[in-house]
Amino acid sequence: MEFVQELVIGAPRQKVWDFIWNVEEFAGCVPGVTQVEKVDDTHYKVKVEQKVSFLKASFNLQVEIQEQRPPEYIRTTGEGADSAIAASLRQKNEVTLEALSDSQTKMIIRSNVDVFGKLGSLGFSVIKSQANKIFADFAQRVKARLE
């Protein structure tokens, strides 16, 4: 499943970039993230809990930063599983920061997410609806911290 979301933030691009690299604070803006552990400069362990329809999933993700071009682009991959509900996921994310002015930045997030098992059986429309809710909450939290 592919998702593209955009968010205009009332902050300079460098400030937004620096915020992304304050991983704990940035992850705190993502609904459902309950824990982040830095393994090294390019690897993180992230625990995410989400309720989708009638299923509650808790994923332990291994996230890797694969590419970065400061202060405009970052690409990550992640994999994880929830053995309690027999579900797993694999994701690829690209975040692009576009300076609209000295005080405004457009954040574009492109995600490709593969969901397997019981969670995957819910279908695209259910998962997309939940993803849109998560992004709306994320956008509100990011704006609250940066504007």
Side-chain angles (χ1 to χ4, degrees):
M1 291 177 276
E2 291 189 35
F3 305 96
V4 178
Q5 303 278 3
E6 294 185 3
L7 164 65
V8 175
I9 303 164
R13 182 167 71 169
Q14 187 63 52
K15 182 177 180 181
V16 177
W17 180 261
D18 293 343
F19 177 71
I20 290 172
W21 285 101
N22 181 340
V23 176
E24 288 79 15
E25 191 172 354
F26 182 71
C29 291
V30 180
V33 171
T34 60
Q35 184 178 348
V36 177
E37 178 186 339
K38 182 177 182 175
V39 177
D40 59 37
D41 286 344
T42 59
H43 295 86
Y44 294 84
K45 293 180 182 178
V46 181
K47 184 169 184 166
V48 180
E49 296 178 353
Q50 285 294 328
K51 186 172 187 320
V52 182
S53 188
F54 59 89
L55 294 175
K56 183 174 181 185
S58 178
F59 290 99
N60 292 307
L61 300 174
Q62 306 299 316
V63 177
E64 178 182 5
I65 298 167
Q66 295 197 314
E67 180 183 355
Q68 60 173 307
R69 294 189 305 268
E72 64 185 71
Y73 177 81
I74 184 169
R75 179 169 46 93
T76 66
T77 59
E79 292 187 26
D82 180 337
S83 58
I85 63 166
S88 63
L89 69 81
R90 185 172 48 234
Q91 65 179 13
K92 295 177 186 174
N93 296 303
E94 295 181 331
V95 177
T96 304
L97 300 179
E98 178 183 323
L100 300 177
S101 70
D102 289 343
S103 62
Q104 276 196 322
T105 304
K106 182 190 289 186
M107 177 185 286
I108 305 163
I109 302 173
R110 291 178 180 84
S111 300
N112 188 314
V113 181
D114 295 316
V115 182
F116 307 98
K118 288 182 182 177
L119 195 56
S121 70
L122 293 176
F124 177 76
S125 62
V126 172
I127 293 172
K128 182 169 177 53
S129 174
Q130 181 67 18
N132 287 338
K133 289 177 189 172
I134 291 168
F135 183 79
D137 195 8
F138 166 79
Q140 182 179 19
R141 292 176 185 192
V142 167
K143 285 173 154 281
R145 293 217 172 125
L146 289 173
E147 293 183 340

